[in-house]
Amino acid sequence: MGTKKVKISSVKRAAHLKSKKTPLSKQQQQKIKQKREQLNSKREKGQNIFSQKAHKRDNLAQRKKYNKQASLGFVPGLNEDEDDDEGGDLLLDNVADMLDGDDLALLQENKRKRKAKPTEDQQLSVGLEKAYATATKKEQAAQKIKVNLLPIKSRDGEIITRTTEVDYIPKPKRKAVDEEHEAEGKDEEDEDDEEVYEDSDDDVVNDAAPMPKQKLISTTDLLIARQQEIERQKYRIGIICSGLLEKPEDKMRNFNALYELMDEKNRATGMVNLLAVRKLAIVSVTEIFKDILPEYRVGQVDTKMQTVRKATLDRVTFENALLQQFKKFLQKLEQLTAQVNKRGGHKTPQSVKMATVAVECMCELLLAHPYFNYVQNIAQLLVYMLNCNYGAMRQAVNQCFRTLFSNDKRLDMTLFVVRRINHLIKTKQNNVHLECITCMMGLKIKHVNLDAEKENELKQKKLESHRQRLLSLSKKERKRRKKLTEVNRELDETRAEENKQTKHHKLTEIIKMVFTIYFRVLKNDPTSRVLSAILEGLAEFAHVINLEFFADLIDVLNRILEEQDLGYREQLHCIQTIFVILSGQGEVLNIDPIRFYQHFYRNMLVVQAGKNHDDFAIILRTLDEVLVKRRRNMSQQRLMAFVKRLLTGSLHLLHNGTLATLGTIKQTFQLTSVLDALLDTDTTIGSGRYDPELDDPEYCNAASTALYELTLLGRHYHPTVRRMAAHIANGVPASGEGALPTDIGKLNAHELLAQYDSTQMAFNPTIPLPKQGEPKLRKGKHLFIRSDFKQDYGKLLKDAKTTRISSKNALQFDFLSELNKLSK
C-alpha cells in the first residue's frame, strides 16, 4: 500500500515545520557516536563511587572560590560569560556521567544549542543597521509630495491652477502573504501565494472604535449618549455607502456591516441597535441598490461549463455577488413586514414603524427597477401589504401601484400586479380594503383607442394590394423598384411592430381582469364595503365595456339604486356610470333613463361648501353627459329644471365650484336657445307654478321661473364670479357689453374648478395691496354737559378785564374765579 498525500493548509503546514526537528550534520552525528562509545566503555569498566564524591567536592570548592572572588570584585566582567559557559559545560559533563541512553542524547543536543556570544563586529553592524533604519524613518516623515488642487477662475476669466505640499504617507492597498514552500518530500507541489485585499475603510466597517461604556446616571446623560451613538453610526454608514458607490466590485462585502445595523440586535457587538439607526441603514441600502443595480435582468452564467473572457468573468462574478446581496436585503425586508402581517404576532410600535419603512423602500425599488430580478417577488409581497391593517402602508402601496401603472410601457408588471390583486380579492371573498380597488384607477385603459388600430389594419391592406398591383402591372424595372421602395417604407410605418400585438394582447387581458373583479363584486356581494370603489371604477372605464353587457349592467345598477341603502357618493357614481354607457356605444339601446334623471336631480343639492365639496367633480362629469352630450334626448322642461337647480346649488359652493357651475350653464346656453326663457322675468308665459322641492324634473314647471340667482351672484366676493354672472344674464354674448375676456372664456368647467381652487391658500386673481397714504386730521367738536355753558363763557371772555404781558405778549385771565362768581 502506498502512502496517500493529503494537502494541508498553509497555517498547519507552517506550524508543523516549526515544530519539526532540524536534521543533524554528519560531523555532529559522528561526535555523538564517539561520545556514546566512550560512555559505553566506562559502563563496562565500572564506575568508582568515591571518584564521583571527590569530583563533587572539587566542584563545591571551585564554586565557593568563585563566589568569594565575585564578592571582592576580582572577577573580570569580560570573562563572566566564558566562566559561565565553562561552569555550565562542567556541570553538563558531571550530569552526563550519571545518565545513559536517550536522556544522554537529549542532554548533548541541548548543549550544542547553547548560543554563542556575538562578537564586536556583529554588535557594530547591528548598531549601524538600527541607525540607518531610524534615519530612513525620519527622512520619510520629513518628505513632502505635491498635490494638485482644484483650479479657480479669476474675475478676468483666467483659469489659475494651484498645488500644495502635503506629508507623504504610504498607503499600500494590497499585501502579499507569502506561504512557506518547504516541502516534506520531493513530490509535494508548491502552492500559490495568496493575496489579501486590505481596505482603507476596514476600521470603520468593522466598528473598530466602539462607543465607550459609561455609567449613565440621569435622563440627560441617556439622551446625550443616544445622540452621540446616532451621530457615530451616521458617520459610519456614510463612509460605508460612499465606498460602495465608489467601487462596488471590491467592497461588496461591506453590505454585511449595514445588514447588521438593520437587525434589532447587533450580532458582532451584542448591543441593541437604535430605531433611528435601523431606519437609516434600510434607507441607505435602498438608495445604494437604486444606484448600482443595472437596468437589465441579470442572467445566470455557469463559468465551469463554458469558457469566458476575463472581463466577462469579472462582470459575471460581480453580477452574481450583487444578486446575492440584493436577495439577502429583500429577505430582511420581508422579515420586517412579516412581524406585523402575521396573525397573533407580537406587534410593537417599533415593529410597525420598521415595517412601514420597509414597505416604502420596496415601493421605491419596484418603481426604480421594475424589470430586475426578484421584482415580481416584491410586487407580490406589496399586494398582500395592500390589505394590511395599517393605513400608512396601504396608502404607500396604493400610490406605488398607481405610479407603476401609469409609467409601465411594456405592461408586464401591470398584468402581473392586476392578476395578484384579483387572486387576493377572490381569496378574501371581497372582504378587502378600498385601496385594493382604488389602485386600479391609475390604469391607462381610458386612453385606449381600438378604432385607430383597425384603421391601420385597413390602410395596411390597401397598401399591400397596391404593392401587388405594382408588381404585376409594372414594365420598367427602375420605376418598379422606386415605387416598391416607397410602398415598403409606408408599409413599415403602418405595419404593427413585434411588440405591438403583444402589448394589445396584454392590455386586453388587463381589461378583462379588471372587469372580472368589478362584476364579481356587483353580482355576488353588492353590500360589500368596496362597492363605492367598484362603482367609481366602472364610471371611469365604462366606455371600454363590451356592448353585450350594457343592458345587464344597467339593470344591476338600477336594482342597487332602488334596493340598497347607498350614500350620495355611491349613487352619483352609479348615475355617472349609466350615463357614460348611454352616451357612448349605448345610444343604440332602447332604454328610458327617466328614473336615473330623477336620482341625479335629487342628489344635486347634497354637495355644499364643506367637507364634501370635492365630490362636486362627480356632478360636473355627469352634467357633461346629461346637459351636453344628451341635450337633444332631453325635453325642454327637464333641461330647464336641471339648469335652475344647478344654479341654485351654486349659491352653496365655494367660488371655484360656483365658477364651474356657471361655466357649465354658459356652455349649455351656447348650445341651445331654449334656455333664453329663463332670463325673462315674466311669469305669465309658463303654465303652472315652479315647485323647487319636487324631485321629478319633468313636472316641476321650471319654465315658470327665472334665474334670480344671477342677481345674487352679481354681488359675489369673487370678481370672476361677478363677471361670469353678468355674462350669462346678458344672454352669453360673444362680444360687446357683458362679454368675457379671452383667458376666461376659453376655459371649460373642469379647468375653472381646478384653476380657481384656493385649498392651497392661494387666491386667484391675486388680491392687490392697499395704497399707502397719510391719514387726514379732522377738527373735533366741543361737547358740553350744560347747554348754557357756551353762552356763559362767551360772555365772560367779552366782559373780563385783560392784561397784556409785555415779555410774553399774551393774555392772562382767571377764568375759574370769574366762573365761580357767575355761578353765585
Side-chain angles (χ1 to χ4, degrees):
M1 296 296 291
T3 59
K4 183 178 179 181
K5 296 180 179 179
V6 180
K7 273 192 174 183
I8 60 175
S9 62
S10 58
V11 179
K12 292 182 179 180
R13 187 160 170 262
H16 170 70
L17 295 175
K18 186 176 180 180
S19 62
K20 186 180 177 182
K21 297 178 180 179
T22 55
L24 301 176
S25 61
K26 293 183 178 180
Q27 295 179 356
Q28 293 174 349
Q29 292 177 0
Q30 289 180 359
K31 289 182 178 179
I32 293 173
K33 188 176 180 181
Q34 292 177 0
K35 290 184 178 181
R36 285 181 179 177
E37 291 177 354
Q38 292 177 0
L39 289 174
N40 292 331
S41 61
K42 287 182 179 180
R43 288 195 193 98
E44 292 175 356
K45 293 180 180 180
Q47 296 180 356
N48 192 355
I49 189 171
F50 298 102
S51 63
Q52 294 178 3
K53 290 181 179 181
H55 193 57
K56 289 181 181 179
R57 284 195 299 269
D58 295 337
N59 292 335
L60 183 59
Q62 291 177 0
R63 203 174 300 135
K64 289 181 179 180
K65 182 180 179 181
Y66 174 78
N67 293 336
K68 186 177 181 180
Q69 291 178 354
S71 62
L72 295 176
F74 294 111
V75 181
L78 294 176
N79 298 328
E80 286 179 0
D81 295 333
E82 295 178 1
D83 295 338
D84 290 338
D85 292 340
E86 292 176 0
D89 293 339
L90 292 174
L91 182 60
L92 287 175
D93 292 337
N94 294 333
V95 175
D97 295 338
M98 297 182 292
L99 297 178
D100 58 351
D102 297 333
D103 296 335
L104 181 63
L106 181 60
L107 183 62
Q108 294 295 335
E109 185 177 355
N110 291 334
K111 184 179 178 181
R112 286 195 306 270
K113 290 183 179 179
R114 292 178 62 85
K115 295 181 180 179
K117 183 178 179 301
T119 59
E120 295 181 359
D121 296 338
Q122 291 177 349
Q123 292 179 355
L124 182 60
S125 63
V126 170
L128 292 175
E129 289 178 359
K130 290 182 179 180
Y132 177 75
T134 304
T136 305
K137 289 182 180 179
K138 291 181 179 179
E139 184 180 355
Q140 287 183 356
Q143 187 177 358
K144 301 286 185 179
I145 58 173
K146 288 186 177 181
V147 177
N148 294 326
L149 300 178
L150 291 175
I152 59 175
K153 188 174 182 179
S154 63
R155 295 183 178 180
D156 301 334
E158 298 180 358
I159 304 298
I160 303 174
T161 59
R162 301 180 301 162
T163 59
T164 185
E165 292 185 353
V166 297
D167 297 335
Y168 172 72
I169 302 175
K171 295 183 179 180
K173 285 290 182 181
R174 294 180 180 272
K175 61 179 182 179
V177 180
D178 299 330
E179 297 182 353
E180 299 179 0
H181 296 285
E182 298 179 1
E184 297 181 2
K186 296 181 180 180
D187 298 334
E188 186 176 355
E189 297 178 356
D190 297 337
E191 297 180 359
D192 298 334
D193 294 342
E194 296 180 0
E195 290 185 354
V196 178
Y197 185 78
E198 187 178 280
D199 192 356
S200 60
D201 300 336
D202 280 344
D203 54 344
V204 181
V205 174
N206 298 327
D207 201 5
M211 178 181 172
K213 294 183 179 180
Q214 299 177 356
K215 188 175 180 180
L216 304 178
I217 301 174
S218 62
T219 306
T220 306
D221 295 336
L222 289 172
L223 293 175
I224 293 174
R226 178 182 178 275
Q227 188 63 30
Q228 291 176 353
E229 176 67 14
I230 291 174
E231 294 297 330
R232 189 177 68 86
Q233 295 294 353
K234 278 184 180 180
Y235 173 76
R236 184 182 172 212
I237 291 173
I239 294 296
I240 296 173
C241 294
S242 60
L244 280 167
L245 293 176
E246 180 182 357
K247 199 170 184 181
E249 295 87 357
D250 295 338
K251 300 189 178 183
M252 193 65 63
R253 59 190 177 88
N254 291 353
F255 274 110
N256 297 324
L258 296 176
Y259 294 156
E260 291 178 355
L261 295 177
M262 290 171 53
D263 297 332
E264 186 175 359
K265 190 174 183 180
N266 197 336
R267 298 179 181 177
T269 60
M271 298 176 62
V272 178
N273 293 323
L274 297 176
L275 182 63
V277 176
R278 297 176 66 189
K279 288 182 180 180
L280 186 61
I282 294 176
V283 175
S284 302
V285 176
T286 304
E287 294 298 326
I288 290 174
F289 279 123
K290 284 171 62 178
D291 291 338
I292 67 177
L293 286 182
E295 298 295 333
Y296 54 87
R297 186 179 181 86
V298 175
Q300 298 292 335
V301 179
D302 192 359
T303 56
K304 296 181 180 179
M305 301 300 295
Q306 55 183 344
T307 305
V308 294
R309 297 181 179 179
K310 185 177 180 181
T312 306
L313 181 62
D314 295 340
R315 180 181 60 83
V316 169
T317 305
F318 166 68
E319 289 177 352
N320 291 337
L322 182 63
L323 201 60
Q324 292 297 326
Q325 296 293 342
F326 186 60
K327 180 181 178 181
K328 189 175 180 181
F329 178 61
L330 294 181
Q331 288 175 350
K332 287 187 172 294
L333 294 182
E334 184 180 4
Q335 292 174 2
L336 293 175
T337 56
Q339 294 179 1
V340 299
N341 208 18
K342 289 182 179 180
R343 292 183 179 179
H346 184 62
K347 301 173 185 177
T348 60
Q350 289 189 354
S351 62
V352 174
K353 292 179 182 178
M354 291 299 299
T356 305
V357 175
V359 168
E360 292 176 355
C361 292
M362 284 191 287
C363 292
E364 292 183 5
L365 289 173
L366 179 62
L367 294 178
H369 301 279
Y371 292 102
F372 191 68
N373 302 62
Y374 304 118
V375 178
Q376 288 189 353
N377 303 80
I378 298 176
Q380 184 173 356
L381 179 60
L382 290 178
V383 168
Y384 288 112
M385 298 304 298
L386 196 61
N387 194 36
C388 67
N389 297 325
Y390 302 96
M393 300 183 197
R394 295 198 304 268
Q395 190 64 30
V397 179
N398 186 8
Q399 188 63 35
C400 171
F401 283 161
R402 284 174 179 263
T403 308
L404 178 67
F405 295 156
S406 60
N407 297 333
D408 192 8
K409 301 296 179 65
R410 294 166 54 181
L411 298 178
D412 290 332
M413 287 302 301
T414 302
L415 181 59
F416 177 79
V417 171
V418 172
R419 281 177 177 172
R420 300 309 305 173
I421 291 175
N422 179 32
H423 182 266
L424 175 66
I425 297 174
K426 188 176 181 181
T427 305
K428 298 293 183 179
Q429 297 179 356
N430 305 327
N431 187 18
V432 293
H433 291 276
L434 290 176
E435 286 79 5
C436 297
I437 306 296
T438 56
C439 67
M440 291 185 288
M441 297 293 293
L443 292 169
K444 286 187 175 181
I445 301 177
K446 190 174 183 179
H447 303 287
V448 177
N449 188 7
L450 301 178
D451 297 333
E453 297 182 1
K454 294 180 179 179
E455 292 175 0
N456 290 335
E457 291 178 359
L458 293 175
K459 187 176 180 180
Q460 182 180 353
K461 290 180 180 179
K462 292 180 180 180
L463 292 174
E464 189 69 28
S465 61
H466 183 56
R467 178 187 179 187
Q468 296 295 334
R469 190 163 52 253
L470 287 176
L471 285 172
S472 59
L473 298 177
S474 298
K475 296 180 180 179
K476 295 182 180 181
E477 186 70 16
R478 187 175 300 174
K479 292 183 179 180
R480 187 170 69 87
R481 289 183 178 179
K482 185 177 180 181
K483 292 181 179 180
L484 279 175
T485 303
E486 295 176 358
V487 174
N488 287 331
R489 185 173 64 253
E490 293 179 2
L491 281 173
D492 293 336
E493 294 176 356
T494 58
R495 185 184 293 115
E497 299 176 359
E498 184 179 357
N499 60 346
K500 191 172 184 180
Q501 295 180 355
T502 307
K503 184 177 180 180
H504 179 69
H505 175 71
K506 293 175 184 177
L507 195 58
T508 306
E509 290 294 327
I510 293 171
I511 295 172
K512 289 181 180 179
M513 201 67 62
V514 170
F515 285 112
T516 300
I517 297 171
Y518 290 168
F519 293 157
R520 185 195 301 123
V521 176
L522 288 176
K523 181 180 178 181
N524 299 331
D525 194 4
T527 61
S528 175
R529 60 179 178 178
V530 298
L531 180 63
S532 60
I534 294 293
L535 295 174
E536 185 178 359
L538 282 174
E540 188 73 19
F541 307 129
H543 63 283
V544 195
I545 303 175
N546 196 347
L547 186 62
E548 300 175 357
F549 302 103
F550 279 180
D552 297 335
L553 182 59
I554 289 176
D555 292 338
V556 171
L557 293 177
N558 183 42
R559 187 171 65 252
I560 290 175
L561 281 172
E562 294 179 354
E563 297 177 1
Q564 301 294 334
D565 187 13
L566 301 179
Y568 78 95
R569 185 181 177 89
E570 288 79 6
Q571 293 184 13
L572 290 176
H573 281 309
C574 282
I575 297 166
Q576 181 186 359
T577 304
I578 292 170
F579 282 115
V580 168
I581 292 173
L582 295 178
S583 301
Q585 301 177 5
E587 292 181 353
V588 298
L589 298 177
N590 188 14
I591 297 175
D592 187 12
I594 183 172
R595 47 190 173 177
F596 304 115
Y597 284 130
Q598 294 176 1
H599 288 299
F600 184 50
Y601 187 78
R602 188 185 308 115
N603 291 316
M604 284 179 64
L605 295 179
V606 177
V607 179
Q608 34 80 21
K611 293 183 179 180
N612 61 351
H613 187 268
D614 295 336
D615 297 333
F616 187 71
I618 306 173
I619 296 178
L620 280 183
R621 288 194 292 266
T622 311
L623 287 172
D624 290 341
E625 306 294 336
V626 175
L627 297 181
V628 179
K629 296 182 180 179
R630 294 184 58 84
R631 66 183 183 279
R632 296 181 180 179
N633 299 330
M634 295 177 64
S635 62
Q636 296 181 6
Q637 294 290 336
R638 190 175 296 167
L639 188 60
M640 291 180 182
F642 272 105
V643 172
K644 177 63 178 178
R645 175 151 290 198
L646 183 61
L647 193 58
T648 303
S650 66
L651 300 176
H652 308 284
L653 300 175
L654 297 177
H655 60 266
N656 60 329
T658 304
L659 283 173
T661 303
L662 295 176
T664 304
I665 295 175
K666 176 180 73 71
Q667 187 179 5
T668 310
F669 266 89
Q670 292 173 348
L671 294 175
T672 180
S673 60
V674 178
L675 300 177
D676 293 339
L678 294 175
L679 299 177
D680 191 0
T681 57
D682 189 4
T683 59
T684 61
I685 298 176
S687 58
R689 183 180 177 184
Y690 173 64
D691 187 2
E693 297 180 358
L694 191 65
D695 292 337
D696 194 348
E698 188 69 29
Y699 304 105
C700 67
N701 297 326
S704 301
T705 185
L707 301 179
Y708 297 107
E709 294 81 5
L710 293 176
T711 306
L712 298 176
L713 294 177
R715 296 191 295 270
H716 199 270
Y717 67 87
H718 199 280
T720 310
V721 175
R722 297 195 299 266
R723 187 175 296 179
M724 186 79 74
H727 175 68
I728 297 175
N730 290 327
V732 196
S735 60
E737 185 181 359
L740 290 175
T742 309
D743 56 343
I744 301 176
K746 66 181 180 181
L747 299 176
N748 57 24
H750 299 281
E751 293 174 349
L752 287 170
L753 181 66
Q755 185 169 341
Y756 289 91
D757 188 11
S758 60
T759 55
Q760 302 297 327
M761 304 303 293
F763 194 82
N764 187 13
T766 306
I767 300 175
L769 297 175
K771 297 181 180 180
Q772 296 182 356
E774 296 181 357
K776 296 181 180 180
L777 298 177
R778 296 182 180 181
K779 295 181 179 180
K781 296 181 179 181
H782 296 285
L783 298 177
F784 304 99
I785 299 176
R786 291 167 46 188
S787 60
D788 57 345
F789 182 77
K790 185 176 182 181
Q791 298 176 0
D792 293 341
Y793 86 81
K795 185 179 180 180
L796 289 173
L797 289 176
K798 290 179 181 180
D799 300 340
K801 296 179 180 181
T802 58
T803 58
R804 183 179 299 274
I805 301 174
S806 58
S807 60
K808 297 183 179 179
N809 194 15
L811 294 176
Q812 289 185 354
F813 177 66
D814 191 359
F815 184 78
L816 182 60
S817 61
E818 295 293 334
L819 186 62
N820 292 330
K821 293 178 182 180
L822 185 63
S823 62
K824 293 179 180 179

